PDB file of all heavy atoms in Angstrom:
ATOM      1  N   GLY A 246     -11.031  16.170  -5.598  1.00  0.00           N
ATOM      2  CA  GLY A 246     -10.213  14.950  -5.285  1.00  0.00           C
ATOM      3  C   GLY A 246      -8.756  15.363  -5.048  1.00  0.00           C
ATOM      4  O   GLY A 246      -8.476  16.505  -4.695  1.00  0.00           O
ATOM      5  N   THR A 247      -7.852  14.420  -5.337  1.00  0.00           N
ATOM      6  CA  THR A 247      -6.445  14.721  -5.216  1.00  0.00           C
ATOM      7  C   THR A 247      -5.756  14.546  -6.553  1.00  0.00           C
ATOM      8  O   THR A 247      -6.206  13.753  -7.392  1.00  0.00           O
ATOM      9  CB  THR A 247      -5.755  13.821  -4.179  1.00  0.00           C
ATOM     10  OG1 THR A 247      -5.782  12.464  -4.651  1.00  0.00           O
ATOM     11  CG2 THR A 247      -6.449  13.902  -2.804  1.00  0.00           C
ATOM     12  N   GLY A 248      -4.667  15.265  -6.724  1.00  0.00           N
ATOM     13  CA  GLY A 248      -3.868  15.143  -7.945  1.00  0.00           C
ATOM     14  C   GLY A 248      -3.385  13.714  -8.169  1.00  0.00           C
ATOM     15  O   GLY A 248      -3.209  13.293  -9.293  1.00  0.00           O
ATOM     16  N   THR A 249      -3.129  13.002  -7.109  1.00  0.00           N
ATOM     17  CA  THR A 249      -2.574  11.640  -7.268  1.00  0.00           C
ATOM     18  C   THR A 249      -3.602  10.686  -7.928  1.00  0.00           C
ATOM     19  O   THR A 249      -3.211   9.672  -8.468  1.00  0.00           O
ATOM     20  CB  THR A 249      -2.142  11.045  -5.900  1.00  0.00           C
ATOM     21  OG1 THR A 249      -3.230  11.077  -5.002  1.00  0.00           O
ATOM     22  CG2 THR A 249      -0.962  11.798  -5.372  1.00  0.00           C
ATOM     23  N   GLU A 250      -4.920  11.039  -7.900  1.00  0.00           N
ATOM     24  CA  GLU A 250      -5.901  10.232  -8.597  1.00  0.00           C
ATOM     25  C   GLU A 250      -5.640  10.219 -10.108  1.00  0.00           C
ATOM     26  O   GLU A 250      -6.017   9.258 -10.774  1.00  0.00           O
ATOM     27  CB  GLU A 250      -7.309  10.781  -8.325  1.00  0.00           C
ATOM     28  CG  GLU A 250      -7.738  10.588  -6.917  1.00  0.00           C
ATOM     29  CD  GLU A 250      -9.056  11.291  -6.591  1.00  0.00           C
ATOM     30  OE1 GLU A 250      -9.926  11.350  -7.487  1.00  0.00           O
ATOM     31  OE2 GLU A 250      -9.213  11.785  -5.461  1.00  0.00           O
ATOM     32  N   LEU A 251      -4.952  11.219 -10.590  1.00  0.00           N
ATOM     33  CA  LEU A 251      -4.633  11.303 -12.027  1.00  0.00           C
ATOM     34  C   LEU A 251      -3.618  10.250 -12.447  1.00  0.00           C
ATOM     35  O   LEU A 251      -3.527   9.887 -13.618  1.00  0.00           O
ATOM     36  CB  LEU A 251      -4.159  12.684 -12.409  1.00  0.00           C
ATOM     37  CG  LEU A 251      -5.211  13.776 -12.221  1.00  0.00           C
ATOM     38  CD1 LEU A 251      -4.595  15.166 -12.441  1.00  0.00           C
ATOM     39  CD2 LEU A 251      -6.407  13.567 -13.130  1.00  0.00           C
ATOM     40  N   LEU A 252      -2.852   9.763 -11.471  1.00  0.00           N
ATOM     41  CA  LEU A 252      -1.905   8.668 -11.777  1.00  0.00           C
ATOM     42  C   LEU A 252      -2.638   7.448 -12.291  1.00  0.00           C
ATOM     43  O   LEU A 252      -2.171   6.703 -13.154  1.00  0.00           O
ATOM     44  CB  LEU A 252      -1.057   8.336 -10.532  1.00  0.00           C
ATOM     45  CG  LEU A 252      -0.053   9.392 -10.139  1.00  0.00           C
ATOM     46  CD1 LEU A 252       0.508   9.112  -8.734  1.00  0.00           C
ATOM     47  CD2 LEU A 252       1.084   9.468 -11.128  1.00  0.00           C
ATOM     48  N   ASP A 253      -3.816   7.165 -11.725  1.00  0.00           N
ATOM     49  CA  ASP A 253      -4.598   6.041 -12.187  1.00  0.00           C
ATOM     50  C   ASP A 253      -5.114   6.241 -13.603  1.00  0.00           C
ATOM     51  O   ASP A 253      -5.229   5.264 -14.348  1.00  0.00           O
ATOM     52  CB  ASP A 253      -5.791   5.788 -11.225  1.00  0.00           C
ATOM     53  CG  ASP A 253      -5.326   5.325  -9.862  1.00  0.00           C
ATOM     54  OD1 ASP A 253      -4.255   4.664  -9.793  1.00  0.00           O
ATOM     55  OD2 ASP A 253      -6.021   5.626  -8.838  1.00  0.00           O
ATOM     56  N   VAL A 254      -5.419   7.504 -13.950  1.00  0.00           N
ATOM     57  CA  VAL A 254      -5.851   7.791 -15.310  1.00  0.00           C
ATOM     58  C   VAL A 254      -4.713   7.514 -16.301  1.00  0.00           C
ATOM     59  O   VAL A 254      -4.907   6.954 -17.386  1.00  0.00           O
ATOM     60  CB  VAL A 254      -6.375   9.236 -15.431  1.00  0.00           C
ATOM     61  CG1 VAL A 254      -6.716   9.559 -16.903  1.00  0.00           C
ATOM     62  CG2 VAL A 254      -7.571   9.464 -14.533  1.00  0.00           C
ATOM     63  N   LEU A 255      -3.491   7.897 -15.876  1.00  0.00           N
ATOM     64  CA  LEU A 255      -2.318   7.697 -16.726  1.00  0.00           C
ATOM     65  C   LEU A 255      -2.009   6.216 -16.877  1.00  0.00           C
ATOM     66  O   LEU A 255      -1.532   5.800 -17.936  1.00  0.00           O
ATOM     67  CB  LEU A 255      -1.104   8.426 -16.163  1.00  0.00           C
ATOM     68  CG  LEU A 255      -1.112   9.937 -16.285  1.00  0.00           C
ATOM     69  CD1 LEU A 255       0.019  10.538 -15.502  1.00  0.00           C
ATOM     70  CD2 LEU A 255      -1.001  10.342 -17.769  1.00  0.00           C
ATOM     71  N   GLY A 256      -2.207   5.458 -15.833  1.00  0.00           N
ATOM     72  CA  GLY A 256      -1.866   4.034 -15.887  1.00  0.00           C
ATOM     73  C   GLY A 256      -0.422   3.775 -15.493  1.00  0.00           C
ATOM     74  O   GLY A 256       0.378   4.659 -15.484  1.00  0.00           O
ATOM     75  N   GLU A 257      -0.138   2.532 -15.176  1.00  0.00           N
ATOM     76  CA  GLU A 257       1.195   2.144 -14.657  1.00  0.00           C
ATOM     77  C   GLU A 257       2.311   2.288 -15.683  1.00  0.00           C
ATOM     78  O   GLU A 257       3.432   2.585 -15.359  1.00  0.00           O
ATOM     79  CB  GLU A 257       1.129   0.674 -14.199  1.00  0.00           C
ATOM     80  CG  GLU A 257       0.293   0.403 -12.997  1.00  0.00           C
ATOM     81  CD  GLU A 257       0.932   0.869 -11.701  1.00  0.00           C
ATOM     82  OE1 GLU A 257       2.179   0.990 -11.648  1.00  0.00           O
ATOM     83  OE2 GLU A 257       0.192   1.113 -10.729  1.00  0.00           O
ATOM     84  N   GLU A 258       1.994   2.118 -16.946  1.00  0.00           N
ATOM     85  CA  GLU A 258       3.030   2.096 -17.972  1.00  0.00           C
ATOM     86  C   GLU A 258       3.209   3.426 -18.692  1.00  0.00           C
ATOM     87  O   GLU A 258       3.967   3.518 -19.624  1.00  0.00           O
ATOM     88  CB  GLU A 258       2.693   0.988 -18.993  1.00  0.00           C
ATOM     89  CG  GLU A 258       2.579  -0.412 -18.421  1.00  0.00           C
ATOM     90  CD  GLU A 258       3.854  -0.831 -17.701  1.00  0.00           C
ATOM     91  OE1 GLU A 258       4.966  -0.590 -18.204  1.00  0.00           O
ATOM     92  OE2 GLU A 258       3.736  -1.372 -16.580  1.00  0.00           O
ATOM     93  N   ALA A 259       2.521   4.436 -18.240  1.00  0.00           N
ATOM     94  CA  ALA A 259       2.573   5.721 -18.894  1.00  0.00           C
ATOM     95  C   ALA A 259       4.005   6.321 -18.872  1.00  0.00           C
ATOM     96  O   ALA A 259       4.697   6.205 -17.881  1.00  0.00           O
ATOM     97  CB  ALA A 259       1.633   6.693 -18.268  1.00  0.00           C
ATOM     98  N   SER A 260       4.401   6.950 -19.965  1.00  0.00           N
ATOM     99  CA  SER A 260       5.727   7.588 -20.017  1.00  0.00           C
ATOM    100  C   SER A 260       5.635   9.045 -19.555  1.00  0.00           C
ATOM    101  O   SER A 260       6.671   9.706 -19.443  1.00  0.00           O
ATOM    102  CB  SER A 260       6.285   7.526 -21.451  1.00  0.00           C
ATOM    103  OG  SER A 260       5.435   8.264 -22.317  1.00  0.00           O
ATOM    104  N   THR A 261       4.460   9.530 -19.283  1.00  0.00           N
ATOM    105  CA  THR A 261       4.277  10.905 -18.801  1.00  0.00           C
ATOM    106  C   THR A 261       4.932  11.097 -17.445  1.00  0.00           C
ATOM    107  O   THR A 261       4.704  10.316 -16.530  1.00  0.00           O
ATOM    108  CB  THR A 261       2.750  11.246 -18.713  1.00  0.00           C
ATOM    109  OG1 THR A 261       2.171  11.030 -20.012  1.00  0.00           O
ATOM    110  CG2 THR A 261       2.560  12.654 -18.233  1.00  0.00           C
ATOM    111  N   ARG A 262       5.721  12.147 -17.335  1.00  0.00           N
ATOM    112  CA  ARG A 262       6.337  12.495 -16.033  1.00  0.00           C
ATOM    113  C   ARG A 262       5.269  13.222 -15.197  1.00  0.00           C
ATOM    114  O   ARG A 262       4.510  14.029 -15.756  1.00  0.00           O
ATOM    115  CB  ARG A 262       7.547  13.364 -16.197  1.00  0.00           C
ATOM    116  CG  ARG A 262       8.630  12.843 -17.086  1.00  0.00           C
ATOM    117  CD  ARG A 262       9.206  11.516 -16.542  1.00  0.00           C
ATOM    118  NE  ARG A 262      10.450  11.173 -17.177  1.00  0.00           N
ATOM    119  CZ  ARG A 262      10.547  10.444 -18.290  1.00  0.00           C
ATOM    120  NH1 ARG A 262       9.447  10.012 -18.871  1.00  0.00           N
ATOM    121  NH2 ARG A 262      11.734  10.168 -18.820  1.00  0.00           N
ATOM    122  N   PHE A 263       5.240  12.947 -13.926  1.00  0.00           N
ATOM    123  CA  PHE A 263       4.198  13.505 -13.053  1.00  0.00           C
ATOM    124  C   PHE A 263       4.864  14.249 -11.879  1.00  0.00           C
ATOM    125  O   PHE A 263       5.580  13.603 -11.093  1.00  0.00           O
ATOM    126  CB  PHE A 263       3.269  12.428 -12.526  1.00  0.00           C
ATOM    127  CG  PHE A 263       1.984  12.932 -11.955  1.00  0.00           C
ATOM    128  CD1 PHE A 263       0.831  12.935 -12.725  1.00  0.00           C
ATOM    129  CD2 PHE A 263       1.944  13.388 -10.640  1.00  0.00           C
ATOM    130  CE1 PHE A 263      -0.346  13.395 -12.156  1.00  0.00           C
ATOM    131  CE2 PHE A 263       0.755  13.866 -10.129  1.00  0.00           C
ATOM    132  CZ  PHE A 263      -0.406  13.870 -10.879  1.00  0.00           C
ATOM    133  N   VAL A 264       4.635  15.550 -11.786  1.00  0.00           N
ATOM    134  CA  VAL A 264       5.159  16.355 -10.690  1.00  0.00           C
ATOM    135  C   VAL A 264       3.990  16.806  -9.830  1.00  0.00           C
ATOM    136  O   VAL A 264       3.011  17.382 -10.320  1.00  0.00           O
ATOM    137  CB  VAL A 264       5.942  17.558 -11.205  1.00  0.00           C
ATOM    138  CG1 VAL A 264       6.431  18.444 -10.078  1.00  0.00           C
ATOM    139  CG2 VAL A 264       7.144  17.107 -12.080  1.00  0.00           C
ATOM    140  N   LEU A 265       4.056  16.555  -8.541  1.00  0.00           N
ATOM    141  CA  LEU A 265       3.006  16.894  -7.598  1.00  0.00           C
ATOM    142  C   LEU A 265       3.375  18.198  -6.870  1.00  0.00           C
ATOM    143  O   LEU A 265       4.454  18.284  -6.320  1.00  0.00           O
ATOM    144  CB  LEU A 265       2.777  15.751  -6.613  1.00  0.00           C
ATOM    145  CG  LEU A 265       1.546  15.848  -5.751  1.00  0.00           C
ATOM    146  CD1 LEU A 265       0.271  15.706  -6.607  1.00  0.00           C
ATOM    147  CD2 LEU A 265       1.565  14.773  -4.689  1.00  0.00           C
ATOM    148  N   LEU A 266       2.436  19.119  -6.843  1.00  0.00           N
ATOM    149  CA  LEU A 266       2.590  20.325  -6.066  1.00  0.00           C
ATOM    150  C   LEU A 266       1.904  20.175  -4.728  1.00  0.00           C
ATOM    151  O   LEU A 266       0.758  19.706  -4.669  1.00  0.00           O
ATOM    152  CB  LEU A 266       1.938  21.510  -6.774  1.00  0.00           C
ATOM    153  CG  LEU A 266       2.431  21.938  -8.119  1.00  0.00           C
ATOM    154  CD1 LEU A 266       1.591  23.054  -8.689  1.00  0.00           C
ATOM    155  CD2 LEU A 266       3.889  22.377  -8.049  1.00  0.00           C
ATOM    156  N   THR A 267       2.586  20.539  -3.694  1.00  0.00           N
ATOM    157  CA  THR A 267       1.975  20.460  -2.334  1.00  0.00           C
ATOM    158  C   THR A 267       2.330  21.630  -1.495  1.00  0.00           C
ATOM    159  O   THR A 267       3.316  22.361  -1.792  1.00  0.00           O
ATOM    160  CB  THR A 267       2.478  19.185  -1.586  1.00  0.00           C
ATOM    161  OG1 THR A 267       3.866  19.337  -1.349  1.00  0.00           O
ATOM    162  CG2 THR A 267       2.214  17.933  -2.345  1.00  0.00           C
ATOM    163  N   GLY A 268       1.573  21.823  -0.439  1.00  0.00           N
ATOM    164  CA  GLY A 268       1.951  22.688   0.637  1.00  0.00           C
ATOM    165  C   GLY A 268       2.756  21.824   1.581  1.00  0.00           C
ATOM    166  O   GLY A 268       2.686  20.587   1.546  1.00  0.00           O
ATOM    167  N   ILE A 269       3.559  22.409   2.408  1.00  0.00           N
ATOM    168  CA  ILE A 269       4.448  21.647   3.295  1.00  0.00           C
ATOM    169  C   ILE A 269       3.660  20.655   4.145  1.00  0.00           C
ATOM    170  O   ILE A 269       4.047  19.520   4.312  1.00  0.00           O
ATOM    171  CB  ILE A 269       5.253  22.572   4.221  1.00  0.00           C
ATOM    172  CG1 ILE A 269       6.242  23.391   3.344  1.00  0.00           C
ATOM    173  CG2 ILE A 269       6.030  21.804   5.290  1.00  0.00           C
ATOM    174  CD1 ILE A 269       6.938  24.508   4.091  1.00  0.00           C
ATOM    175  N   ILE A 270       2.499  21.078   4.658  1.00  0.00           N
ATOM    176  CA  ILE A 270       1.731  20.209   5.557  1.00  0.00           C
ATOM    177  C   ILE A 270       1.131  19.013   4.820  1.00  0.00           C
ATOM    178  O   ILE A 270       0.837  17.987   5.406  1.00  0.00           O
ATOM    179  CB  ILE A 270       0.598  21.056   6.200  1.00  0.00           C
ATOM    180  CG1 ILE A 270       0.034  20.341   7.433  1.00  0.00           C
ATOM    181  CG2 ILE A 270      -0.506  21.371   5.244  1.00  0.00           C
ATOM    182  CD1 ILE A 270       0.710  20.764   8.690  1.00  0.00           C
ATOM    183  N   GLU A 271       0.990  19.087   3.514  1.00  0.00           N
ATOM    184  CA  GLU A 271       0.303  18.034   2.750  1.00  0.00           C
ATOM    185  C   GLU A 271       1.188  16.836   2.487  1.00  0.00           C
ATOM    186  O   GLU A 271       0.675  15.737   2.166  1.00  0.00           O
ATOM    187  CB  GLU A 271      -0.182  18.573   1.379  1.00  0.00           C
ATOM    188  CG  GLU A 271      -1.262  19.600   1.543  1.00  0.00           C
ATOM    189  CD  GLU A 271      -1.597  20.298   0.233  1.00  0.00           C
ATOM    190  OE1 GLU A 271      -0.714  20.360  -0.652  1.00  0.00           O
ATOM    191  OE2 GLU A 271      -2.752  20.730   0.123  1.00  0.00           O
ATOM    192  N   TYR A 272       2.517  16.943   2.646  1.00  0.00           N
ATOM    193  CA  TYR A 272       3.383  15.815   2.313  1.00  0.00           C
ATOM    194  C   TYR A 272       3.006  14.546   3.022  1.00  0.00           C
ATOM    195  O   TYR A 272       3.078  13.464   2.459  1.00  0.00           O
ATOM    196  CB  TYR A 272       4.862  16.131   2.694  1.00  0.00           C
ATOM    197  CG  TYR A 272       5.612  16.837   1.604  1.00  0.00           C
ATOM    198  CD1 TYR A 272       6.104  18.117   1.775  1.00  0.00           C
ATOM    199  CD2 TYR A 272       5.869  16.185   0.390  1.00  0.00           C
ATOM    200  CE1 TYR A 272       6.794  18.774   0.752  1.00  0.00           C
ATOM    201  CE2 TYR A 272       6.598  16.797  -0.607  1.00  0.00           C
ATOM    202  CZ  TYR A 272       7.054  18.080  -0.439  1.00  0.00           C
ATOM    203  OH  TYR A 272       7.744  18.706  -1.407  1.00  0.00           O
ATOM    204  N   SER A 273       2.560  14.628   4.270  1.00  0.00           N
ATOM    205  CA  SER A 273       2.219  13.445   5.055  1.00  0.00           C
ATOM    206  C   SER A 273       0.973  12.744   4.538  1.00  0.00           C
ATOM    207  O   SER A 273       0.723  11.620   4.853  1.00  0.00           O
ATOM    208  CB  SER A 273       2.103  13.775   6.525  1.00  0.00           C
ATOM    209  OG  SER A 273       1.026  14.696   6.718  1.00  0.00           O
ATOM    210  N   GLY A 274       0.126  13.475   3.774  1.00  0.00           N
ATOM    211  CA  GLY A 274      -1.126  12.900   3.287  1.00  0.00           C
ATOM    212  C   GLY A 274      -1.001  12.179   1.993  1.00  0.00           C
ATOM    213  O   GLY A 274      -1.998  11.614   1.483  1.00  0.00           O
ATOM    214  N   ILE A 275       0.172  12.112   1.398  1.00  0.00           N
ATOM    215  CA  ILE A 275       0.353  11.457   0.084  1.00  0.00           C
ATOM    216  C   ILE A 275       0.469   9.957   0.295  1.00  0.00           C
ATOM    217  O   ILE A 275       1.423   9.524   0.999  1.00  0.00           O
ATOM    218  CB  ILE A 275       1.578  12.010  -0.652  1.00  0.00           C
ATOM    219  CG1 ILE A 275       1.400  13.505  -0.854  1.00  0.00           C
ATOM    220  CG2 ILE A 275       1.777  11.276  -1.986  1.00  0.00           C
ATOM    221  CD1 ILE A 275       2.652  14.229  -1.355  1.00  0.00           C
ATOM    222  N   PRO A 276      -0.368   9.171  -0.305  1.00  0.00           N
ATOM    223  CA  PRO A 276      -0.241   7.696  -0.144  1.00  0.00           C
ATOM    224  C   PRO A 276       1.096   7.193  -0.652  1.00  0.00           C
ATOM    225  O   PRO A 276       1.616   7.669  -1.651  1.00  0.00           O
ATOM    226  CB  PRO A 276      -1.391   7.186  -0.979  1.00  0.00           C
ATOM    227  CG  PRO A 276      -2.342   8.301  -1.182  1.00  0.00           C
ATOM    228  CD  PRO A 276      -1.496   9.549  -1.125  1.00  0.00           C
TER     229      PRO A 276
END
């Protein structure tokens, strides 16, 4: 899957900071 799916596991109110690693070409695919 994608790393961004983990944001749903964390939930909207989570205090956890989330840093996404990408290749340059992948930036456009991030919702």
Side-chain angles (χ1 to χ4, degrees):
T247 66
T249 56
E250 292 172 34
L251 296 173
L252 290 167
D253 292 330
V254 176
L255 287 171
E257 292 284 337
E258 301 304 316
S260 62
T261 301
R262 305 297 194 272
F263 196 97
V264 176
L265 191 67
L266 297 177
T267 65
I269 294 171
I270 197 93
E271 295 172 332
Y272 272 116
S273 62
I275 301 169

